[in-house]
Amino acid sequence: MFRKNISRKKEQTCFKLQPGACFHPQTGFFEKGHGDCLADFRFYKVSAGDRLECTSDRFEWQMPLYDERTEERLIYTYCYQEEENWAGYTGNLERINWRRGSYTFEQDGWMRLAMRKADGTQMSGEEIEEARKAYQLIRTQRRYVEKPFYKEEIERTAQTVLDKQKNGILTVGLMTDSHFVINGGWDDTVSNLHKVHEKVTFDALIHLGDLTDGMVSKEITQEYAQSVIGDMKGLGVPLYLAIGNHDSNYFNRNPEWMGEKEQSVFYLDREKPWYFIDFPEQRLRCLFLFSFDHRQKIRYGFPEEEVAWIQRTLTETPKDSCVLIFSHVPLLPEMHFWSDQIRNSDQLLQILKDYVHAGGTILAFVHGHNHADQIFNMDEFPIVSIGCAKCEDFKDRKPNGSITYDRKMGTITQELWDVMLIDPEEKKIDFVRFGAGEDRSVRVKG
């Protein structure tokens, strides 16, 4: 959860050391297959003056260190870092490998820890437990430092929203594809969300999926995702999620994947990964869809059970209500670079068209996944693609007609998310952009 800490108290952190693992001295990568070692995969943020405290001389340690340098390939090419880490490895293990005793950090950055018995012998079970208790990280509590270059964008975004707000309009923070990584700028996003929310007051916050890259162990992915979800809930408004393909933890054929039921329970605290939320005052029903299953021949798309649920839900929707649909994956194959088919999309599209032709109103179908902006206007309703919240700027592998904006870390363009103003009475949605990109609006015809 985002907290603006005033105090500078110290906090103690214990490591979660895994038997049989260590770090590669040339890359700083976590490696299994080291039977005499223990290592913790996690990256720990440290500041100058923080300390690694060792309470036993029976063990020795190694500590790969990482700084704030980010490889440009991670931003400007289609590239996912294997350990979901955008901090630069300093190469310190190539100079100094195993050490003993305590250690005081000389500069800010990230650290990881591995350890072994000082005499080089194998650890018993009791010694493993002793080793886990022998090390603690003593750190100054984290305090976010505001970035002055965001101030003008915060003011512009808030004022634009305030100028458009009126009775009956729903004000919602909207983002997608945050893809949390170490040193990726998520703290800035959380701070900026808070600053804008303080000025305009969101009614809710919506995230359209891919909270993380889904390339590491399920345990680490769930830790990252829980942290990101906690940060968003820290705004104190309802949070609604659509599950993304990376959220299954299957990316690059990760063996520690989560199935439909596990994702639904973990991310949504629901039995099914599709659901709707009503906003009675605005006479608005919002549908949140599930759109990826790697076990299917056509991985991207909508389960038959979900499509039947959508049809029932639309039939049961009050006649005087508008409908707004949120998904991670787009509805149309022509708006999807990664496959020429979207499972059950023709069936779903026909259901949505039939609903509109029978007198219903769909304000828009809003999705993420493409890491690009796009509006596709159909006669019945518009389809709106939202760009990538993570600072990512590769121009290839995008559907025709989409826009990918120039991005750069340490500037306003590092950020990309919207404040969505939904006006069911006017059948209009304004998207006020924070960061890279432009403000947009859509209106249902007729």
Side-chain angles (χ1 to χ4, degrees):
M1 183 180 295
F2 175 83
R3 298 181 180 89
K4 186 175 179 180
N5 292 320
I6 306 248
S7 65
R8 302 294 285 167
K9 295 180 179 179
K10 296 289 184 179
E11 60 183 15
Q12 296 183 354
T13 301
C14 295
F15 298 96
K16 298 180 180 180
L17 295 160
Q18 176 180 330
C22 200
F23 298 101
H24 193 286
Q26 278 78 48
T27 64
F29 278 21
F30 181 87
E31 289 186 332
K32 297 181 179 179
H34 296 266
D36 60 338
C37 299
L38 304 175
D40 189 345
F41 178 91
R42 295 160 184 80
F43 295 80
Y44 294 90
K45 181 70 173 173
V46 293
S47 302
D50 292 346
R51 280 181 59 77
L52 174 70
E53 295 283 359
C54 176
T55 60
S56 174
D57 60 2
R58 296 187 61 205
F59 307 102
E60 57 186 10
W61 52 264
Q62 66 170 210
M63 183 196 304
L65 299 175
Y66 309 81
D67 58 29
E68 293 186 350
R69 295 171 300 160
T70 299
E71 293 183 64
E72 288 198 347
R73 69 183 180 93
L74 300 174
I75 301 174
Y76 300 111
T77 63
Y78 178 69
C79 179
Y80 289 88
Q81 206 274 349
E82 299 91 321
E83 295 191 321
E84 300 183 16
N85 168 42
W86 277 19
Y89 173 51
T90 65
N92 66 299
L93 295 187
E94 297 183 86
R95 302 184 295 273
I96 301 175
N97 206 328
W98 293 96
R99 303 178 65 169
R100 300 184 189 181
S102 299
Y103 176 82
T104 300
F105 294 92
E106 298 178 354
Q107 60 187 26
D108 298 353
W110 287 264
M111 59 82 65
R112 303 163 97 180
L113 184 70
M115 52 82 55
R116 68 184 183 185
K117 287 178 67 175
D119 62 11
T121 60
Q122 199 82 11
M123 289 190 207
S124 66
E126 290 183 358
E127 288 172 327
I128 289 174
E129 291 307 310
E130 179 186 352
R132 286 173 172 158
K133 297 176 182 177
Y135 295 92
Q136 280 193 340
L137 182 60
I138 312 298
R139 295 186 289 179
T140 302
Q141 287 183 348
R142 306 271 64 77
R143 180 171 64 86
Y144 177 78
V145 179
E146 295 178 5
K147 308 294 195 306
F149 56 83
Y150 286 127
K151 183 177 180 180
E152 184 176 344
E153 183 70 356
I154 291 168
E155 296 295 334
R156 184 205 67 81
T157 303
Q159 190 58 55
T160 303
V161 172
L162 291 171
D163 289 344
K164 293 177 179 292
Q165 283 180 326
K166 64 180 183 180
N167 290 337
I169 283 185
L170 198 68
T171 303
V172 178
L174 174 69
M175 69 169 58
T176 186
D177 296 271
S178 51
H179 289 276
F180 174 85
V181 292
I182 299 299
N183 195 37
W186 174 248
D187 286 349
D188 293 333
T189 300
V190 176
S191 173
N192 291 326
L193 279 168
H194 272 263
K195 291 295 184 183
V196 174
H197 169 55
E198 288 169 3
K199 295 177 181 295
V200 307
T201 309
F202 298 151
D203 295 301
L205 179 63
I206 292 173
H207 193 295
L208 297 181
D210 286 359
L211 299 171
T212 74
D213 288 347
M215 298 178 64
V216 294
S217 71
K218 182 162 66 174
E219 179 183 15
I220 298 297
T221 288
Q222 291 185 342
E223 287 181 10
Y224 287 167
Q226 284 177 332
S227 178
V228 171
I229 290 171
D231 287 337
M232 291 190 290
K233 287 183 175 179
L235 269 72
V237 300
L239 172 66
Y240 304 113
L241 306 175
I243 296 174
N245 58 305
H246 286 253
D247 295 322
S248 67
N249 213 43
Y250 181 71
F251 195 72
N252 274 7
R253 299 184 182 275
N254 188 346
E256 296 191 32
W257 51 268
M258 293 184 278
E260 174 187 301
K261 176 67 176 295
E262 187 174 8
Q263 291 177 68
S264 184
V265 171
F266 176 74
Y267 292 110
L268 308 175
D269 195 25
R270 295 176 180 271
E271 289 296 310
K272 295 290 184 180
W274 51 83
Y275 61 101
F276 71 83
I277 298 294
D278 284 338
F279 295 90
E281 183 180 343
Q282 287 80 18
R283 298 194 300 279
L284 176 69
R285 173 164 289 184
C286 294
L287 278 61
F288 295 85
L289 306 187
F290 181 69
S291 54
F292 177 81
D293 187 344
H294 75 270
R295 296 166 296 184
Q296 299 291 327
K297 183 177 180 180
I298 303 174
R299 297 181 298 163
Y300 300 100
F302 308 95
E304 290 182 3
E305 181 185 357
E306 179 182 41
V307 173
W309 171 86
I310 293 169
Q311 188 168 34
R312 289 196 308 273
T313 301
L314 292 176
T315 300
E316 297 165 0
T317 298
K319 298 300 182 183
D320 62 347
S321 290
C322 293
V323 173
L324 182 54
I325 303 173
F326 296 97
S327 170
H328 181 70
V329 170
L331 174 62
L332 303 179
E334 53 265 44
M335 295 184 70
H336 191 242
F337 173 84
W338 299 104
S339 66
D340 57 5
Q341 296 182 70
I342 300 291
R343 181 166 30 93
N344 295 321
S345 66
D346 287 345
Q347 181 182 355
L348 176 54
L349 179 59
Q350 191 60 54
I351 289 170
L352 300 181
K353 286 184 175 183
D354 288 346
Y355 176 72
V356 173
H357 295 160
T361 299
I362 297 177
L363 296 180
F365 186 106
V366 183
H367 70 87
H369 184 61
N370 287 345
H371 296 198
D373 280 358
Q374 187 174 6
I375 295 177
F376 188 95
N377 283 304
M378 300 193 304
D379 290 337
E380 294 79 9
F381 56 87
I383 302 176
V384 183
S385 176
I386 308 297
C388 178
K390 184 170 75 170
C391 184
E392 200 168 70
D393 172 12
F394 57 93
K395 302 294 195 293
D396 59 339
R397 306 177 192 236
K398 303 294 172 64
N400 291 334
S402 66
I403 301 173
T404 302
Y405 292 96
D406 294 340
R407 311 285 295 275
K408 185 177 181 180
M409 293 291 287
T411 71
I412 292 173
T413 65
Q414 175 183 311
E415 294 280 288
L416 191 161
W417 48 270
D418 290 302
V419 182
M420 186 168 55
L421 295 112
I422 308 165
D423 187 345
E425 184 176 347
E426 297 292 331
K427 299 182 180 180
K428 179 183 178 183
I429 305 175
D430 288 311
F431 297 85
V432 179
R433 175 59 51 86
F434 187 99
E438 300 176 354
D439 298 347
R440 302 178 291 170
S441 65
V442 294
R443 187 192 296 267
V444 176
K445 297 178 182 179

